[in-house]
Amino acid sequence: MSGESCLTELCPSLPGPTLPGGRPKTCSYKGSPNNNYVRLNVGGALYFTTVQVLTRQDTMLKAMFSGRMEVLTDKEGWILIDRSGKHFGSILNYLRDATITLPKSQQEIRELMAEAKYYLIQGLVQICQTALQEKKDLYEPVCTIPIVTSLKEEEKLIEACTKPVVKLLYNRSNNKYSYTSNSDDHLLKNIELFDKLSLRFNGRVLFIKDVLGDEICCWSFYGQGRKLAEVCCTSIVYATEKKQTKVEFPEARIYEETLNVLLYETPRVPDNSLLEATSRGSHRGSHSEDEEGTELRDRVRRIHIKRYSTYDDRQLGHQPGYRD
């Protein structure tokens, strides 16, 4: 069937396929829903289907092809629909048998749902909404771990956080020596412990990762914006021929310091009675004692796990002596 005869059948009252000037013509679609094939141009994508498929469900397409709405046709007889044609094939498949294979990505499902809403296909809209909710429940992250990329970013992140903070610095490239045989395994164990702790204390402690520091593997613990403790997991081994870097896995110490920062989970509220008692005896203490107390409060516990070690801790040339 030619474009001219198709358009004449669609709009029998028109003498020709287009208005003067070749502009698309608007008319009401009239035809038998049993055996008419329709040529659709949806956003530049061309589709062939039947009127029976388009009018099977109570949608905007049914209103278009049952004569209740006007349709726009071009000079070749294609019915124009000013929408994206990317997912129109999926819409036609759903209209045929009320089933559909949804795209894998959430973005494409949202695009399909937008088209279904435009064509008023409520059943397809509900299918897309259900699929998006299932994907959201499936892929919703349990916790988010910020990765520090600059010192200023780290300072702002810790100062703005009202929760305790645990930071793991790991950078395997910060090394000029070879690693011992177990170092890679221990470094991996530190990372795995970090992931386990971040899941266990999610919502109570902010866990962040640092990849720009000078250390190879180091844990830092913060409470109320102040560094409380530091656990360095690397040490230098003085072998007979060359130095080697050793990575330790002090699991018990790391777990202990993580529990310690939970003490700073709730902001401290000043105790009026304690403040009154301390203020009465403040004149008795000297200025140096106050400075010493401030220094103790600001001191950071730095724990180095075998910072410098040898294969034999005994000094050379000294053997244990025994007396009778």
Side-chain angles (χ1 to χ4, degrees):
M1 180 183 296
S2 65
E4 182 177 355
S5 60
C6 178
L7 183 60
T8 304
E9 182 179 355
L10 293 177
C11 305
S13 60
L14 294 177
T18 57
L19 291 176
R23 293 176 299 173
K25 178 62 181 178
T26 300
C27 62
S28 297
Y29 180 82
K30 296 179 181 179
S32 173
N34 296 323
N35 54 7
N36 276 9
Y37 274 85
V38 181
R39 299 189 299 174
L40 303 175
N41 184 340
V42 186
L46 306 180
Y47 294 93
F48 284 89
T49 187
T50 63
V51 177
Q52 184 179 7
V53 170
L54 295 173
T55 58
R56 182 164 295 171
Q57 298 187 26
D58 189 12
T59 65
M60 190 181 74
L61 293 171
K62 181 177 181 179
M64 291 174 60
F65 293 94
S66 60
R68 289 182 290 168
M69 291 180 59
E70 293 183 338
V71 296
L72 187 67
T73 60
D74 63 7
K75 62 181 180 179
E76 296 182 354
W78 292 86
I79 297 177
L80 303 178
I81 299 179
D82 190 16
R83 295 291 295 182
S84 172
K86 179 179 179 181
H87 301 287
F88 194 76
S90 299
I91 290 176
L92 289 179
N93 290 334
Y94 178 79
L95 293 177
R96 290 186 179 103
D97 51 18
T99 60
I100 190 172
T101 301
L102 293 176
K104 294 183 179 180
S105 69
Q106 296 188 36
Q107 179 61 31
E108 290 188 345
I109 295 178
R110 294 190 184 96
E111 294 173 359
L112 177 60
M113 184 172 66
E115 297 303 308
K117 288 181 178 180
Y118 175 79
Y119 296 112
L120 304 178
I121 309 176
Q122 189 59 33
L124 183 55
V125 172
Q126 293 177 354
I127 292 176
C128 292
Q129 289 176 342
T130 302
L132 289 174
Q133 184 61 40
E134 291 176 353
K135 286 182 176 291
K136 181 179 179 181
D137 297 339
L138 183 62
Y139 297 108
E140 187 74 17
V142 178
C143 60
T144 303
I145 307 297
I147 298 180
V148 175
T149 57
S150 67
L151 182 60
K152 291 184 178 180
E153 179 185 1
E154 175 185 332
E155 293 176 352
K156 291 181 179 180
L157 190 63
I158 295 175
E159 290 177 359
C161 184
T162 57
K163 299 181 292 186
V165 178
V166 174
K167 183 189 74 172
L168 172 61
L169 187 158
Y170 65 94
N171 192 342
R172 196 179 185 280
S173 62
N174 290 339
N175 183 36
K176 55 183 178 179
Y177 309 116
S178 61
Y179 285 93
T180 58
S181 58
N182 295 328
S183 292
D184 286 335
D185 184 46
H186 287 168
L187 181 59
L188 180 60
K189 288 182 178 180
N190 277 279
I191 297 174
E192 290 177 345
L193 178 60
F194 179 87
D195 294 338
K196 291 179 181 178
L197 292 176
S198 62
L199 291 174
R200 177 169 183 178
F201 297 105
N202 177 41
R204 301 180 61 186
V205 178
L206 173 63
F207 289 84
I208 60 179
K209 290 183 178 180
D210 189 355
V211 294
L212 298 178
D214 297 330
E215 296 287 349
I216 298 172
C217 183
C218 184
W219 294 73
S220 300
F221 304 87
Y222 300 83
Q224 298 177 358
R226 182 172 60 89
K227 181 183 283 190
L228 305 173
E230 183 180 84
V231 178
C232 181
C233 303
T234 56
S235 60
I236 303 298
V237 176
Y238 292 90
T240 55
E241 298 180 355
K242 58 182 179 179
K243 297 179 182 179
Q244 286 185 309
T245 300
K246 186 176 183 180
V247 180
E248 302 283 354
F249 179 52
E251 181 178 9
R253 173 63 69 181
I254 294 169
Y255 198 88
E256 178 185 356
E257 295 299 336
T258 304
L259 294 179
N260 287 338
V261 298
L262 292 177
L263 299 175
Y264 296 84
E265 184 178 6
T266 304
R268 296 180 179 178
V269 179
D271 190 338
N272 294 330
S273 60
L274 180 60
L275 290 176
E276 183 180 358
T278 53
S279 62
R280 291 175 181 175
S282 61
H283 63 278
R284 300 178 184 177
S286 62
H287 182 69
S288 60
E289 292 177 350
D290 294 338
E291 292 181 350
E292 183 180 357
T294 303
E295 182 181 356
L296 290 175
R297 286 193 301 271
D298 294 339
R299 187 176 300 171
V300 178
R301 298 192 306 277
R302 290 185 171 85
I303 300 108
H304 297 283
I305 308 300
K306 295 183 180 180
R307 184 61 173 169
Y308 299 99
S309 61
T310 62
Y311 287 127
D312 191 351
D313 293 335
R314 296 175 297 177
Q315 297 181 1
L316 297 177
H318 296 275
Q319 300 294 335
Y322 299 93
R323 291 184 181 180
D324 294 336

